[in-house]
Amino acid sequence: MEKTILINSTPQEARVAILENNALAEIQIERRRERGIVGSIYKGKVVRILPGMQAAFVDIGLERAAFLPGSDFHPVGEEIPGLRMVENEPAVAEEERGFEVEYMRHPAPPADFPIEERLSRGQEILVQVAKGPIGSKGARVTSRISLPGRYVVYMPTSDHLGVSRRIEDERERERLRQIVLSLNPPEGGFIIRTVCEGLSKAEIHADLRFLTRLWQQILEKAEQSGAPSRLHYDMDLILRTIRDSFTNEVTRVLVDNASDFQRIRDFVDTFSPRLKGRVTLYEDPEPIFERYGIEMEIDRTLDRRVWLKSGGYIVIDQTEALTTIDVNTGRFVGRQNQEETVLKTNLEAAREIVDQLRLRNLGGIVIVDFIDMERPENREQVTETLRQALKTDRARTTISEISDLGLVEMTRKRTRESLEQLLCEPCPYCEGRGRVKSVRTVAYEILRKAEYQARLNPHTKVLTVAAHPAVAHFLCEEESPALESLETRLGCRILVESNERLDRAKYEILISEEEA
């Protein structure tokens, strides 16, 4: 698969687009003033312990306290046994930083060591941000620290030595394990990343030494700092992308900022000199994202409806609790029977859904409503197509079998805001509901409120209604008989004024006891 990385950098933000076979696969944006904190390490102070949830809240200096699950607490400095080889254990893939394999799942703490016996209020601990603040929720943190390098991931509080599952040759896997062991590494665990395949001992050892020195610097800074304080900030988006995504599969990296171009060249020259020639400064007058159609693709990712090549479409809706995706045949009527038409639409939709999950960075619970299929073998085919498509996604996902109703439940690891949450804000007009009251609904509401206000004040002579032009026109034209009837019942005049400054659902009612 041919990959290209496009980097658009301005003083306000950095944007990275990853193209696979000339099609946009991922888009990431980082605002300079709102730089993400995932991967950052803090010295925090425990402010609250929740025995009922086996969790704690930790003050790390942000607006909201961070959430620490009990299963993610491992005190730094606790005795760690020697390195343990890991084979076929479930791995946690970290989408945010692009680890093929990051750290292994740690077993939950034994029942006789509840969190209230391992932590106390006011205690100072080292934690790393695993999931940034999203919406009204604070960050999620872990004390199981992981420091990503170009070739390996160092885990100071672990005892695992693992190899990326994407390295399939067993002899190469064993060679890489021995390279790590030959350095006689300090306490902690390591994960050997995919880019290590074929590398020399010297290159890998240089990365190992850099990460272990970095950890010692963090510990020294922790001793000198109070809580809360930040001890380590992960790389910015541009260098993080180069570190995690610039592999042999990437044919070129185009960057439109001379300063960032030089930063990238220096980084690649240090860690992957053989790839240095693939980094190019984009100097054309046409903006890089315009030149490659990325701006148009970003706009499309904000649409609810995504059209399929066949003529069908999917509808994507994000709610606070989950994301729903509905599949429809649309204009596609097929050439054979209905079941075949439905199957083709569902198969195409399954692949497009995975593309949209990656592009929009949708996470959490996802419910997909495929078109109902009668044959069990067709449902299995759609589920398998979805599973195969998800192999291209670096985020950890789980997926259920398709139900008799055509529903698939899945989860996708979420570490940061979705593209919509990053680029958009709730509409001030509809207040985020996505719907507004119709003109007729608002007009009838005005008639009820006007009568109520007039009856509260029996001396009313003139009742003035100010409303949006569309509502005012509806009242004066289509509901003029209702206004006349209301005037007769109330014994007062009713004046309707058009006010363009009012939203369509807003209006004002003024009462006067004197004739106009």
Side-chain angles (χ1 to χ4, degrees):
M1 179 186 299
E2 181 180 333
K3 290 186 178 182
T4 302
I5 297 177
L6 306 178
I7 300 175
N8 168 231
S9 177
T10 68
Q12 294 76 36
E13 64 182 4
R15 302 188 297 173
V16 174
I18 298 179
L19 279 61
E20 296 178 354
N21 295 330
N22 296 319
L24 181 62
E26 293 182 31
I27 179 74
Q28 292 190 45
I29 301 174
E30 184 175 82
R31 268 73 187 268
R32 308 294 187 189
R33 293 186 178 182
E34 303 169 4
R35 184 175 166 185
I37 61 171
V38 172
S40 297
I41 299 174
Y42 291 82
K43 185 176 184 179
K45 180 179 292 186
V46 178
V47 293
R48 189 181 177 191
I49 298 176
L50 307 175
M53 295 181 62
Q54 283 300 290
F57 282 104
V58 183
D59 179 13
I60 59 174
L62 302 181
E63 182 179 352
R64 291 183 293 271
F67 181 74
L68 172 65
S71 58
D72 278 341
F73 177 64
H74 180 106
V76 173
E78 185 175 286
E79 184 178 351
I80 301 172
L83 280 175
R84 177 166 60 90
M85 304 299 180
V86 177
E87 293 291 346
N88 301 320
E89 287 194 23
V92 178
E94 174 61 77
E95 189 272 343
E96 174 71 11
R97 285 164 286 175
F99 303 167
E100 291 78 6
V101 180
E102 188 194 345
Y103 42 88
M104 299 301 163
R105 283 192 194 277
H106 294 271
D112 55 345
F113 288 100
I115 192 169
E116 60 268 28
E117 295 183 13
R118 296 183 294 136
L119 277 176
S120 59
R121 186 174 180 180
Q123 181 177 343
E124 296 182 352
I125 58 176
L126 294 189
V127 293
Q128 184 174 36
V129 178
K131 182 185 295 185
I134 299 176
S136 60
K137 297 180 179 179
R140 177 167 175 162
V141 296
T142 175
S143 65
R144 303 185 186 278
I145 309 296
S146 59
L147 295 174
R150 171 64 176 165
Y151 304 124
V152 297
V153 179
Y154 177 41
M155 301 167 293
T157 61
S158 173
D159 63 345
H160 297 294
L161 175 57
V163 183
S164 168
R165 289 178 176 177
R166 296 187 184 181
I167 301 177
E168 298 178 353
D169 188 323
E170 187 53 44
R171 286 183 297 179
E172 176 65 7
R173 295 171 67 88
E174 182 59 28
R175 182 185 76 88
L176 294 172
R177 290 192 192 97
Q178 293 306 317
I179 286 177
V180 172
L181 291 172
S182 66
L183 186 62
N184 191 23
E187 290 183 345
F190 295 89
I191 295 297
I192 301 169
R193 306 181 71 179
T194 305
V195 289
C196 277
E197 192 167 12
L199 288 181
S200 68
K201 180 178 181 179
E203 290 174 297
I204 298 174
H205 277 191
D207 204 32
L208 287 171
R209 285 191 290 267
F210 168 77
L211 293 175
T212 53
R213 284 198 305 268
L214 175 60
W215 175 239
Q216 288 304 314
Q217 292 170 4
I218 292 172
L219 290 178
E220 291 171 5
K221 188 175 181 180
E223 292 180 359
Q224 302 166 5
S225 305
S229 61
R230 186 174 63 219
L231 306 176
H232 171 70
Y233 214 164
D234 198 11
M235 294 177 177
D236 63 18
L237 174 62
I238 293 175
L239 290 186
R240 202 165 63 236
T241 300
I242 299 302
R243 180 191 68 196
D244 299 331
S245 301
F246 192 15
T247 64
N248 287 325
E249 291 181 321
V250 177
T251 56
R252 59 177 176 166
V253 174
L254 289 177
V255 56
D256 64 0
N257 181 284
S259 176
D260 287 317
F261 167 72
Q262 191 58 50
R263 283 202 305 145
I264 293 171
R265 294 265 295 183
D266 292 343
F267 183 88
V268 174
D269 193 36
T270 301
F271 293 99
S272 302
R274 68 187 72 182
L275 299 178
K276 188 175 179 180
R278 303 184 190 183
V279 182
T280 305
L281 177 63
Y282 180 85
E283 298 180 286
D284 290 357
E286 184 179 10
I288 187 171
F289 273 27
E290 293 283 358
R291 167 70 175 79
Y292 289 90
I294 306 301
E295 298 288 8
M296 182 177 63
E297 289 294 328
I298 292 175
D299 289 339
R300 287 179 57 191
T301 62
L302 301 178
D303 293 337
R304 289 181 64 238
R305 181 173 297 190
V306 179
W307 288 96
L308 306 174
K309 292 181 180 179
S310 64
Y313 63 90
I314 62 176
V315 177
I316 303 173
D317 285 308
Q318 295 184 61
T319 70
E320 186 172 348
L322 51 82
T323 297
T324 62
I325 302 177
D326 185 35
V327 182
N328 298 275
T329 54
R331 298 189 295 260
F332 182 52
V333 295
R335 297 183 179 180
Q336 301 180 26
N337 54 52
Q338 181 180 1
E339 181 76 4
E340 189 67 23
T341 300
V342 168
L343 175 60
K344 288 184 177 179
T345 304
N346 283 339
L347 290 174
E348 186 180 1
R351 291 184 285 268
E352 182 63 36
I353 285 168
V354 174
D355 290 343
Q356 292 299 319
L357 290 177
R358 293 179 64 192
L359 268 176
R360 299 172 186 238
N361 192 35
L362 298 174
I365 300 173
V366 181
I367 305 296
V368 183
D369 184 10
F370 285 104
I371 307 171
D372 292 346
M373 294 170 287
E374 295 180 0
R375 300 175 186 171
E377 59 269 25
N378 288 345
R379 292 198 290 269
E380 292 175 5
Q381 186 176 351
V382 170
T383 305
E384 183 58 26
T385 299
L386 188 61
R387 283 202 179 95
Q388 291 299 318
L390 284 170
K391 289 184 176 180
T392 63
D393 190 0
R394 293 179 302 179
R396 177 165 52 94
T397 57
T398 60
I399 179 173
S400 68
E401 295 292 334
I402 191 168
S403 70
D404 292 339
L405 298 177
L407 297 178
V408 168
E409 299 177 16
M410 61 181 294
T411 62
R412 184 174 188 270
K413 185 173 178 62
R414 173 169 54 192
T415 57
R416 54 190 171 90
E417 293 180 315
S418 69
L419 198 61
E420 180 182 286
Q421 291 170 325
L422 177 65
L423 299 179
C424 304
E425 61 184 18
C427 170
Y429 197 78
C430 69
E431 298 177 346
R433 291 191 297 268
R435 295 287 189 273
V436 294
K437 293 179 180 178
S438 67
V439 169
R440 186 182 298 274
T441 299
V442 177
Y444 290 170
E445 184 177 314
I446 288 173
L447 292 174
R448 292 193 302 271
K449 290 290 181 67
E451 182 171 3
Y452 173 70
Q453 293 290 341
R455 293 193 184 282
L456 285 178
N457 189 345
H459 301 293
T460 300
K461 297 298 183 182
V462 179
L463 191 150
T464 305
V465 174
H468 184 273
V471 177
H473 181 270
F474 182 86
L475 284 170
C476 294
E477 297 297 326
E478 298 199 28
E479 292 298 333
S480 57
L483 287 175
E484 294 173 2
S485 174
L486 188 58
E487 285 181 329
T488 300
R489 293 201 310 273
L490 298 176
C492 69
R493 291 182 59 196
I494 298 178
L495 303 179
V496 178
E497 297 179 353
S498 175
N499 190 333
E500 294 183 352
R501 292 178 294 127
L502 291 173
D503 292 344
R504 202 171 73 176
K506 306 293 184 181
Y507 54 86
E508 297 174 353
I509 299 176
L510 302 176
I511 290 177
S512 175
E513 296 183 3
E514 298 179 1
E515 292 287 350

